[in-house]
Amino acid sequence: MTDPISHLSASRRFDRILVGGHWIESLSTGTAPVIDPANEETIAEIVLATREDVDAAVSAARGAFPGWAATPVAERARLLLRVHELILERADILAQAISREMGAAMTFARTAQVPFAAEHVRVAAENLAAYPFLHMRGTTAIAREPIGVCGLITPWNWPLYQITAKVAPALAAGCTVVLKPSELAPLSALLFAEIVCDAGIPAGVFNLVSGTGPEVGEALSAHPDIDMISITGSTRAGVLVSKSAADTVKRVALELGGKSPNVILPDADLNKAVPPGVASSCRNVGQSCSAPTRMIVPRDRLAEVERIAAETAAQFVVGDPRDERTTHGPIANRAQFERVQYMIGVGISEGAKLLCGGTGKPEGLECGYFAKPTIFSEVTTEMAIAQEEVFGPVLVIIPYDSIEEAVAIANDTIYGLGAHVQGTDMEQARAVAGRIRSGQVLINYPAWDPQAPFGGYKRSGNGREYGIEGMEEFLEVKAILGYEPD
């Protein structure tokens, strides 16, 4: 097939969508610019597809579903492993695309954004090969079957990682998909689509339609031939998708916002607990839904925490994401930059203690959506900066007087996506972790585990991604009574 974006260059127009294994022209004449957030220059134009384009993609996926669902497990696993291989082979151009479309530092794109995305594919193939799609319960067979055609809606902050976290388990389960990547960061999605085709995934199994949420996202959510919608995005977007999907009673999986706590227990070694906490809160320039942006610390150790936190942030290098010395690039787009600036201003007006950072751009970075890593202390739970998701390099430090209060503060949020606990007494750390209302809790900064299910309590969503549970989201359960007679 023709490679539509073999090389990234300025002002390129991508007016095709992937339907039924072919790059075809969209019926739309509308486009949106893809902006490099480091210099605010237009690097590409992406077509904004129509509802008719969605119909064509869904039709292709529906036609391909019976054959893909019947494809032997070993063959599906082999093809997924080929996708994994191609991601690794093309890692550098993928990292370049991610850096240019959403501003990730190249070092971070190469060491996290791309390899973690590849891991989702490898894990999906591994889980598929060993999964018991049928087992007996007495004389009844419990079968798990692919749910059907899935609409997948992914965000701009981890553009490739979130795609593979959905596409890989869906394909492993035997589903066919229509992907709508963010129109703000679509380049890595186009490169991934090339990889899927080059890996030999059958035509129609994977389809890509670029466009906006109100047009393409809503069309997918409401489409009668879509059996499931999975979205990663804001809580507001998740609510709109759920409402749109309700009339057709399709399954909806939501991975939404967060305001994750990081509880520093009284016995924690602050030199081990605070620096990684600051780094994690600002990882990906704070543009991660599970970022631990509320550091909850013992009041009698607040001054020491403040000192270590400020010293840690001072080591960050904000600048050109293509410079190997840069640790933190720009905010991904203008709207998010303005949101971050607004929320920093809110924190100052609320009377929180500003340890470092603040509004405005770092000195010497007047062009681009660069923000100062910002830390507030002496924050109380009623402050907006303790409750609202900022989605930028902003950390708030909240003091507590007892472990009971620390747990209450951790749970004082409408969200429940991720959480952290730091302490040397593991029994106490486990007990606190067990009391936090969150879909995932990390004790003492463990290594990332792609097999650990990820998803939210409360307004952080429903359903799970990653690991076996991530694949099971795309499966229906069928009971066949009398399958094995007495």
Side-chain angles (χ1 to χ4, degrees):
M1 62 174 298
T2 302
D3 179 347
I5 52 170
S6 295
H7 306 284
L8 293 175
S9 61
S11 300
R12 295 206 61 187
R13 180 185 174 96
F14 303 118
D15 57 2
R16 294 178 182 270
I17 57 177
L18 182 64
V19 174
H22 301 283
W23 291 98
I24 65 172
E25 287 191 17
S26 166
L27 297 174
S28 172
T29 57
T31 63
V34 181
I35 306 296
D36 184 335
N39 54 28
E40 303 179 48
E41 295 179 358
T42 297
I43 57 173
E45 289 186 357
I46 189 76
V47 68
L48 298 178
T50 66
R51 291 174 181 267
E52 289 76 18
D53 291 325
V54 171
D55 288 340
V58 173
S59 178
R62 177 61 62 192
F65 174 64
W68 182 245
T71 299
V73 163
E75 177 63 5
R76 294 207 302 266
R78 183 190 70 79
L79 290 168
L80 284 169
L81 288 175
R82 181 57 182 154
V83 171
H84 174 255
E85 291 172 358
L86 290 176
I87 291 175
L88 297 182
E89 288 178 13
R90 303 177 191 181
D92 193 63
I93 191 171
L94 286 164
Q96 290 179 48
I98 292 167
S99 182
R100 295 196 69 186
E101 68 188 353
M102 57 77 60
M106 277 298 296
T107 51
F108 187 73
R110 287 180 175 137
T111 60
Q113 291 262 10
V114 175
F116 289 177
E119 272 296 278
H120 283 312
V121 183
R122 185 194 64 78
V123 165
E126 178 182 286
N127 290 338
L128 168 63
Y131 190 76
F133 285 91
L134 187 145
H135 70 274
M136 298 302 301
R137 186 180 298 165
T139 62
T140 296
I142 308 298
R144 291 187 179 268
E145 301 175 345
I147 194 169
V149 177
C150 300
L152 309 178
I153 302 173
T154 56
W156 47 259
N157 58 321
W158 288 79
L160 181 64
Y161 175 94
Q162 289 291 350
I163 287 171
T164 59
K166 296 182 189 297
V167 171
L171 298 189
C175 297
T176 56
V177 305
V178 179
L179 170 68
K180 190 207 89 67
S182 170
E183 71 278 13
L184 300 176
L187 302 182
S188 55
L190 295 173
L191 290 167
F192 176 75
E194 292 178 355
I195 286 173
V196 169
C197 294
D198 291 347
I201 301 292
V205 171
F206 172 88
N207 306 272
L208 183 148
V209 181
S210 55
T212 66
E215 182 75 11
V216 174
E218 199 279 333
L220 284 172
S221 303
H223 205 290
D225 285 334
I226 291 280
D227 300 293
M228 175 180 171
I229 285 286
S230 177
I231 177 176
T232 296
S234 67
T235 298
R236 175 181 174 275
V239 170
L240 292 173
V241 164
S242 297
K243 290 179 178 179
S244 181
D247 287 341
T248 49
V249 200
K250 56 173 57 73
R251 184 179 299 175
V252 178
L254 306 171
E255 198 267 275
L256 308 176
K259 192 70 176 177
S260 299
N262 187 359
V263 179
I264 312 294
L265 293 173
D267 68 338
D269 181 339
L270 296 185
N271 289 313
K272 293 181 179 179
V274 175
V278 176
S280 295
S281 71
C282 293
R283 184 169 176 248
N284 203 38
V285 200
Q287 298 167 128
S288 297
C289 47
S290 61
T293 52
R294 293 184 298 140
M295 186 175 286
I296 302 167
V297 308
R299 191 178 301 275
D300 61 3
R301 307 186 75 184
L302 179 60
E304 190 178 359
V305 169
E306 291 177 344
R307 177 184 61 79
I308 298 171
E311 289 174 354
T312 302
Q315 297 174 25
F316 296 161
V317 179
V318 180
D320 182 352
R322 267 72 76 181
D323 188 328
E324 294 294 327
R325 296 167 297 179
T326 295
T327 60
H328 294 71
I331 300 295
N333 54 72
R334 178 181 293 278
Q336 190 55 36
F337 171 79
E338 292 174 350
R339 162 73 177 171
V340 171
Q341 295 299 309
Y342 170 77
M343 288 304 299
I344 293 173
V346 168
I348 293 171
S349 67
E350 288 179 317
K353 179 181 179 181
L354 183 64
L355 294 183
C356 61
T359 56
K361 298 179 180 181
E363 185 177 352
L365 294 171
E366 287 73 23
C367 182
Y369 308 133
F370 295 94
K372 300 173 186 176
T374 299
I375 302 177
F376 289 105
S377 187
E378 298 181 9
V379 174
T380 58
T381 57
E382 67 271 12
M383 291 182 180
I385 55 171
Q387 292 294 332
E388 296 185 30
E389 185 175 42
V390 177
F391 226 60
V394 180
L395 171 67
V396 302
I397 300 175
I398 307 173
Y400 69 85
D401 294 305
S402 67
I403 292 178
E404 194 70 27
E405 183 186 11
V407 172
I409 292 171
N411 288 329
D412 186 12
T413 172
I414 63 172
Y415 299 111
L417 188 59
H420 289 248
V421 177
Q422 319 304 326
T424 56
D425 182 341
M426 285 302 296
E427 184 176 352
Q428 183 180 69
R430 292 188 195 105
V432 171
R435 296 176 63 192
I436 295 176
R437 298 281 296 168
S438 177
Q440 194 175 85
V441 184
L442 293 78
I443 299 176
N444 293 331
Y445 307 114
W448 177 67
D449 181 1
Q451 289 283 14
F454 180 75
Y457 285 25
K458 300 185 278 188
R459 296 190 196 178
S460 286
N462 56 58
R464 292 294 179 267
E465 295 187 316
Y466 314 170
I468 291 172
E469 289 80 5
M471 186 173 72
E472 289 180 336
E473 286 293 325
F474 296 95
L475 296 171
E476 285 281 21
V477 179
K478 175 187 285 183
I480 309 174
L481 285 70
Y483 188 90
E484 182 177 298
D486 289 335

